[in-house]
Amino acid sequence: MGKLNRGNVTKLSIRLTENASKEIQRLSMILNLSQAGVILHSLSKILKEKPDMHELLNLEAKYDLAPKNFALTIKREVADRINDMNVTLDMNKNIWVGLLVSDYFEKRHEQHIKDQVPPEELDRIEEELAKDEPVVKTDTTQVKIEINTELKKKIVEFSEKNYIALSGLVAYSLLNGPYEDIPEYRSGGKEDFFTNIPVYLYEDIKKKTKGLYPKEGFYYELCLYNAFMGEDPVFRL
């Protein structure tokens, strides 16, 4: 797959807690996704409901935000949603959005994803993050994924709507785990695409599927189906 379709985008700056920043860096390395992409994933969940001013004041009393802003690119539609919410909130949006994002990561909402990462990879990440200037990067390998056309359409649509790289969505889906039944589609067409996933994840899946059913390629599809079209999908349009 090529680069993200930028479409109509703008900038958003937010302030984060130190712990949230570390957790975002950690997940960035686990998923081979930019730190902005990790934040955008959280926003796709956080912004489904309008924040309550009382809740924000409680979070403001609870957390110390770093003075420096973190800047990221977001879709104009997301910016418009934030601006609509901002009208009734007596707080700067770099603060209230930062508080909600920080609270999301402070509460370790993605712990189930980290639990699937091999211990040696987590140790490597923690060793890197302990440095004064960590290099937030992960070794990757390219894979070819063949999936149902309907499923691919949903993945691409979510990626472009939320401005989250497809590679990160794939890695998240693989760590989230496979659908445990037979996928059901309205059409039988197939499409393939190439993307990069972390080397540790590629090797782990090869071990899991060696000599077993489902085979590696179908395992990818089961994980993507579970994340986008399963009974309780992670990624909802």
Side-chain angles (χ1 to χ4, degrees):
M1 297 283 292
K3 292 183 178 180
L4 275 172
N5 177 11
R6 289 184 65 88
N8 194 357
V9 298
T10 187
K11 291 289 186 180
L12 172 69
S13 293
I14 60 175
R15 290 170 58 189
L16 299 165
T17 65
E18 183 179 349
N19 286 339
S21 293
K22 282 293 184 184
E23 184 71 355
I24 290 165
Q25 290 178 334
R26 189 173 290 114
L27 288 164
S28 175
M29 297 175 75
I30 287 172
L31 297 169
N32 180 38
L33 183 63
S34 69
Q35 293 180 65
V38 174
I39 294 171
L40 288 168
H41 167 59
S42 72
L43 286 176
S44 72
K45 299 180 179 181
I46 292 168
L47 297 179
K48 288 187 180 297
E49 296 183 7
K50 185 177 179 179
D52 176 74
M53 193 64 206
H54 180 70
E55 175 195 5
L56 293 174
L57 290 173
N58 285 338
L59 293 179
E60 187 177 35
K62 181 179 181 180
Y63 296 126
D64 291 323
L65 300 179
K68 186 177 179 180
N69 280 299
F70 183 97
L72 61 153
T73 301
I74 62 174
K75 297 288 284 196
R76 176 60 67 181
E77 292 88 342
V78 178
D80 289 343
R81 200 180 320 153
I82 291 172
N83 289 334
D84 288 344
M85 294 176 177
N86 199 56
V87 172
T88 59
L89 297 175
D90 186 23
M91 187 179 289
N92 290 337
K93 62 184 176 183
N94 71 320
I95 300 295
W96 70 259
V97 178
L99 285 170
L100 291 176
V101 171
S102 293
D103 186 56
Y104 181 91
F105 290 107
E106 290 267 4
K107 289 180 176 176
R108 309 285 176 129
H109 279 290
E110 307 299 345
Q111 184 62 45
H112 65 293
I113 292 299
K114 293 193 298 182
D115 288 344
Q116 302 306 312
V117 181
E120 59 272 17
E121 180 64 16
L122 286 177
D123 289 345
R124 182 194 71 80
I125 290 172
E126 293 305 320
E127 183 178 340
E128 185 63 37
L129 291 179
K131 297 178 181 178
D132 291 337
E133 296 184 8
V135 178
V136 184
K137 184 180 179 182
T138 300
D139 291 335
T140 63
T141 186
Q142 188 180 74
V143 295
K144 178 182 178 181
I145 296 179
E146 184 177 11
I147 56 175
N148 178 272
T149 300
E150 181 185 355
L151 175 56
K152 182 186 174 186
K153 181 180 178 182
K154 284 184 177 290
I155 297 170
V156 172
E157 189 175 350
F158 186 93
S159 173
E160 294 185 349
K161 179 181 177 181
N162 293 283
Y163 206 63
I164 302 173
L166 186 140
S167 59
L169 296 177
V170 171
Y172 191 106
S173 300
L174 295 175
L175 288 165
N176 187 59
Y179 188 64
E180 296 183 354
D181 205 339
I182 302 299
E184 294 183 5
Y185 302 109
R186 288 175 293 183
S187 62
K190 289 275 190 178
E191 292 187 41
D192 60 47
F193 63 91
F194 290 88
T195 191
N196 293 321
I197 64 172
V199 169
Y200 81 83
L201 184 53
Y202 173 75
E203 292 176 346
D204 191 50
I205 290 172
K206 286 189 76 70
K207 290 177 184 176
K208 285 180 180 178
T209 58
K210 185 178 181 181
L212 299 174
Y213 184 83
K215 296 296 185 184
E216 185 179 335
F218 189 46
Y219 185 86
Y220 290 149
E221 180 164 8
L222 288 175
C223 290
L224 289 165
Y225 183 90
N226 192 36
F228 286 88
M229 297 180 68
E231 295 171 1
D232 186 22
V234 176
F235 304 114
R236 300 174 185 268
L237 288 169

